[in-house]
Amino acid sequence: SSGINAEYGVTRNPKAHDGGRAFASFLKPVIRAEVQEGLMAATYIGWGDLERDGLPLETDVVINLAGRSIGEKTFWNQRMKDQIRSSRIDTTTKLAKAIQKAENPPKLFISASAVGVYGLDSSKVYTEHDMPSTSETRSYFTMLCEDWERSSQLVDTPNTRVVNPRLGVVLGHDLPPVNDLLKMALGPSMAIGTGDQPFPWVHISDVISIFEHFMNDEEMSGPVNVVAPEIIDNMKLTKELGRACRSKYPVGHLPAGMFRLLYGKERAEALLLDSPRVLPQKLLDAGFQFTLPTIEAAAEALVQELSRASPGFGKIVEGRQKAAEK
């Protein structure tokens, strides 16, 4: 909208890395297309600045993607779990307070969440009408998502619309864990564990379009499932990545225990081994059109993206394609 005057990034350090920074880099073309001429450069402010001075004047939209990436290949321990939690809950709370204190609050607050908020009933397809899991044995990530969404709720700010995008695994050629799975697909395609576990997913290009939709659709509020409309399992993902890489190898299986060792049990299960089946019901009801609604199309796009970014990878895929055409 014309009221967006500049692109601001709130960070402790402009060079710091977190899970949201990868998404933010993809969002820049959308945000900058709506910035007034002459104010194209990003301006970074610290959390201390935010608490002291409040939000920048004439802020129309606040997009909160802060959070340490759960896909890092870092030892999984209590310290990391605490950092993952605080990087989401504390930062979201600070932004919510800043919005509530603003003289002219923004029109929209988009604050990320994840599909991990749902239960794990394999016979059920979850939509936004389903309540978060209430199981006494709900996981660390389920409780994290609940608290994450709760921390974004505003008090006495009726003119600010709040949207909580419940993200599935976002597919991008340089985003974990798919960046690793793509490289593995050059060899024998390997499903993880049994391969029948659900894999709620969405391509990064559709995430950007969905966020833009949030800005333009004033009826959209509350939790919104940001996943592709095609529900797949890990075996389907593995086959389509292998096909897109022009692999002739049969699909095998990698032991789930390997990923539990690599990522830690809780994180491996949340990312790759034990996810809910989720449908983007609100987006479908709103008439949103996905650019990449099927994993077949998304896998092709991922391989093309990685081929451009890594010419060596692209040459291997091109060579396989030529061999297949002979």
Side-chain angles (χ1 to χ4, degrees), residues 50-211:
L50 180 72
E51 291 180 283
R52 183 184 64 250
D53 303 327
L55 288 174
L57 295 176
E58 300 182 34
T59 299
D60 277 349
V61 178
V62 174
I63 300 175
N64 174 29
L65 300 171
R68 180 171 179 177
S69 172
I70 68 171
E72 292 179 54
K73 295 186 185 69
T74 306
F75 189 65
W76 186 245
N77 55 23
Q78 188 59 48
R79 181 185 178 191
M80 183 177 182
K81 290 166 70 173
D82 291 343
Q83 289 176 349
I84 285 173
R85 179 178 175 81
S86 65
S87 66
R88 287 163 172 76
I89 309 302
D90 294 353
T91 53
T92 302
T93 299
K94 288 176 182 178
L95 282 170
K97 287 181 178 178
I99 290 170
Q100 288 166 178
K101 291 178 180 178
E103 184 176 344
N104 295 303
K107 299 174 184 177
L108 174 62
F109 181 29
I110 301 173
S111 188
S113 181
V115 296
V117 75
Y118 296 116
L120 295 171
D121 185 344
S122 60
S123 66
K124 186 176 181 60
V125 175
Y126 293 90
T127 72
E128 295 88 348
H129 299 297
D130 292 298
M131 296 297 291
S133 173
T134 57
S135 169
E136 293 182 2
T137 59
R138 63 191 188 278
S139 72
Y140 161 84
F141 285 104
T142 297
M143 292 186 285
L144 173 65
C145 291
E146 291 174 0
D147 292 343
W148 200 3
E149 291 185 12
R150 193 177 297 115
S151 65
S152 71
Q153 301 311 302
L154 305 176
V155 179
D156 298 327
T157 316
N159 295 325
T160 300
R161 183 164 48 95
V162 180
V163 178
N164 294 120
R166 291 175 172 170
L167 291 152
V169 179
V170 179
L171 306 188
H173 75 274
D174 56 353
L175 297 176
V178 176
N179 54 347
D180 291 329
L181 297 179
L182 269 175
K183 294 167 187 174
M184 289 166 57
L186 283 178
S189 298
M190 293 288 185
I192 297 172
T194 62
D196 61 3
Q197 65 272 34
F199 189 82
W201 66 280
V202 62
H203 191 275
I204 184 65
S205 63
D206 276 320
V207 175
I208 305 312
S209 297
I210 289 167
F211 276 44

Side-chain angles (χ1 to χ4, degrees), residues 232-269:
I232 66 168
D233 58 22
N234 180 264
M235 179 62 76
K236 176 72 171 176
L237 171 73
T238 303
K239 288 180 178 178
E240 290 303 331
L241 288 179
R243 182 197 55 76
C245 289
R246 309 301 185 256
S247 174
K248 293 184 177 180
Y249 296 105
V251 175
H253 293 266
L254 287 172
M258 186 178 87
F259 289 87
R260 291 190 179 99
L261 287 173
L262 181 62
Y263 287 106
K265 182 177 183 294
E266 288 174 308
R267 186 167 46 156
E269 290 180 353

